[in-house]
């Protein structure tokens, strides 16, 4: 169930980063103001791949270890997000990042 919730979140967030413009993303993701859109798009693609990796391997039974790898990759994305927010003086907005990091680490553990 946790994997499904994370996959939905990352599918949504990654999809937005892949298809929306900087102006559309800016109200929800202030960090895109100083980040090249190529980097934003790559992060979005990695989030989409992570979402698929959480769901498809266990569902199909093909290489189920990839779900653990996907959770590890998503953990790294959140560590990066926390680092970016802290470098911008946005410590009070890292709650979601910490929760997502904890959830993805829990999936690695499970």
């Amino acid at each position: 169930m946790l994997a499904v919730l994370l996959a939905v979140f990352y599918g949504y967030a990654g999809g937005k980063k892949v298809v929306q413009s900087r102006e559309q993303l800016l109200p929800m993701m202030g960090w895109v103001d100083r980040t090249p859109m190529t980097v934003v798009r790559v992060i979005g693609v990695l989030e989409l791949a992570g979402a698929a990796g959480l769901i498809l391997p266990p569902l199909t039974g093909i290489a189920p270890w990839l779900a653990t790898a996907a959770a590890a990759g998503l953990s790294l994305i959140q560590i990066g997000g926390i680092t970016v927010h802290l470098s911008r003086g946005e410590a009070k907005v890292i709650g979601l990042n910490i929760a997502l990091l904890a959830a993805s680490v829990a999936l690695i553990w499970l």
Side-chain angles (χ1 to χ4, degrees):
M1 185 62 173
L2 181 58
V4 172
L5 291 173
L6 278 180
V8 168
F9 176 84
Y10 281 110
Y12 175 75
K16 287 180 78 67
K17 289 178 186 93
V18 168
V19 300
Q20 291 189 334
S21 69
R22 180 184 314 274
E23 293 74 27
Q24 291 171 308
L25 292 171
L26 202 53
M28 196 166 111
M29 303 171 199
W31 56 272
V32 301
D33 65 346
R34 291 188 242 154
T35 306
M37 281 308 290
T38 304
V39 174
V40 175
R41 303 270 189 244
V42 167
I43 293 168
V45 168
L46 292 172
E47 289 176 341
L48 289 171
L54 290 175
I55 300 300
L56 294 178
L59 190 64
T60 62
I62 300 170
W65 59 270
L66 285 174
T68 303
L74 293 171
S75 296
L76 293 174
I77 288 174
Q78 289 311 314
I79 290 169
I82 291 167
T83 302
V84 167
H85 285 304
L86 292 176
S87 73
R88 291 172 51 97
E90 301 171 343
K92 46 187 168 177
V93 299
I94 63 171
L96 178 59
N97 299 92
I98 292 170
L100 291 169
L101 176 59
S104 59
V105 168
L107 284 178
I108 295 168
W109 184 266
L110 298 173

